[in-house]
Amino acid sequence: MAEKALEFDRVAQEVFAPIYPVIASRLLELAGVRKGRCLDIGCGGGHLGLAAARGFEGTLILLDANPYAVAIAEQRIPEEARGYIRALRGDVHALPLTDASVDLVLSRGAMWFWKKEASLKEIWRVLAPGGVAVLGGGYGTAQLKTAIYRHMSMRNQEDFGEQQEKRMRGARPEEYALVMERLGMGVPQCIHEDSGDWLLFHKSPEGTEGP
Ligand SMILES: C[S@@+](CC[C@H](N)C(=O)[O-])C[C@H]1O[C@@H](n2cnc3c(N)ncnc32)[C@H](O)[C@@H]1O
């Protein structure tokens, strides 16, 4: 677990670093929510959430199931931001947060590890009325994606694109959207961009729909 968290964070810093500010600003734009309480699920070293915090007014929780990732994210929180950003250990299938307490849920590169129905129900439970979730995977821009695929293929001595395809099999936005529709959880949007795929959903301001 420690080795996984350290290796992922090494790659995030050495290779993926330029994607986070680009993705953060795109996800904030897609979500249209810029204040309240933000939750980055499967935050790893916290790069995406911390980049999003620059365009978000309110509090941020960096959450990961791996305690070593949480420790890395914790260390990355700037001293002056510790009053409103915190790192928390937690599993998306049993979020350690109260109902209707989060305005914006973000997640990158983690949803293919999750059980669809259990994770969606939990995200739905913690979303506040009017809240939005954007979950998926991406690399910021098509150029960054190409450069990262090339770099990672050389680094790992295997076709990174093929590995990603395998990882994502069965966990694409459409597959999550089907589960949401079955559970009566609003009308999800599947967003496909050159650099990545996202599932976006809102909880209505009345907060009446849902499982
Ligand atoms: C590939 S990393 C992505 C990290 C980060 N979002 C990024 O883009 O840099 C996936 C992360 O999801 C976390 N994760 C996997 N399953 C999880 C779960 N059930 N609940 C919370 N976090 C989970 C892993 O521990 C890991 O840190």
Side-chain angles (χ1 to χ4, degrees), residues 29-174:
E29 182 184 25
L30 284 171
V33 173
R34 288 182 181 270
K35 61 180 181 183
R37 192 189 210 190
C38 177
L39 171 67
D40 176 5
I41 304 181
C43 66
H47 301 270
L48 177 68
L50 290 171
R54 291 186 206 114
F56 191 84
E57 190 188 317
T59 57
L60 166 68
I61 298 172
L62 302 168
L63 180 136
D64 204 286
N66 183 332
Y68 298 97
V70 176
I72 294 169
E74 171 80 42
Q75 284 172 13
R76 193 160 276 127
I77 301 171
E79 197 52 47
E80 66 280 8
R82 290 185 180 267
Y84 59 95
I85 302 179
R86 66 187 168 115
L88 180 66
R89 183 179 181 188
D91 185 334
V92 69
H93 307 110
L95 289 169
L97 297 170
T98 53
D99 296 0
S101 60
V102 177
D103 302 287
L104 176 62
V105 174
L106 303 177
S107 180
R108 177 200 169 273
M111 71 195 285
W112 36 87
F113 298 112
W114 305 345
K115 296 185 185 97
K116 293 182 195 65
E117 183 168 328
S119 58
L120 287 168
K121 279 183 170 169
E122 273 299 272
I123 292 171
W124 192 264
R125 179 183 67 75
V126 302
L127 262 189
V132 179
V134 198
L135 323 169
Y139 296 88
T141 65
Q143 289 91 328
L144 283 170
K145 179 177 174 178
T146 306
I148 285 175
Y149 272 35
R150 197 176 303 129
H151 189 117
M152 292 302 291
S153 297
M154 276 163 59
R155 187 179 177 119
N156 297 348
Q157 299 284 297
E158 62 184 11
D159 185 332
F160 185 71
E162 207 173 273
Q163 290 306 311
Q164 283 296 86
E165 278 297 309
K166 270 194 207 151
R167 267 190 281 271
M168 284 173 61
R169 209 162 285 157
R172 292 192 169 74
E174 281 72 9

